[in-house]
Amino acid sequence: MEVKYDWNDLCRGHQMCVLGLPQIFEVGDDDEGRALVTSCVTEELKEKLLDVARSCPESAIVVEG
């Protein structure tokens, strides 16, 4: 499974991903509050990641595989 995260163009720093799945996402160091993908997705987190991707208001998270 691969997580594609459009940090530069689509992410607007809503941080819904950080709130929904802190095991995978954390707030980055920029001034805009954008999140960073911080770890690999385990099978246990797959469904939660799909939910988080669907709930992203900017559709910045795409899960493939």
Side-chain angles (χ1 to χ4, degrees):
M1 173 183 315
E2 183 178 358
V3 179
K4 292 187 176 184
Y5 181 68
D6 192 334
W7 188 82
N8 291 316
D9 295 324
L10 294 178
C11 180
R12 296 292 175 251
H14 299 289
Q15 300 180 7
M16 300 298 291
C17 55
V18 176
L19 294 173
L21 199 54
Q23 302 93 319
I24 302 296
F25 298 96
E26 71 178 34
V27 177
D29 293 338
D30 71 344
D31 293 334
E32 298 179 31
R34 297 177 188 157
L36 301 172
V37 177
T38 60
S39 67
C40 295
V41 180
T42 62
E43 195 62 34
E44 297 84 34
L45 296 176
K46 182 179 179 179
E47 286 302 314
K48 184 66 176 171
L49 175 62
L50 294 171
D51 289 340
V52 167
R54 285 189 288 268
S55 69
C56 177
E58 306 299 333
S59 299
I61 305 167
V62 175
V63 181
E64 295 180 345

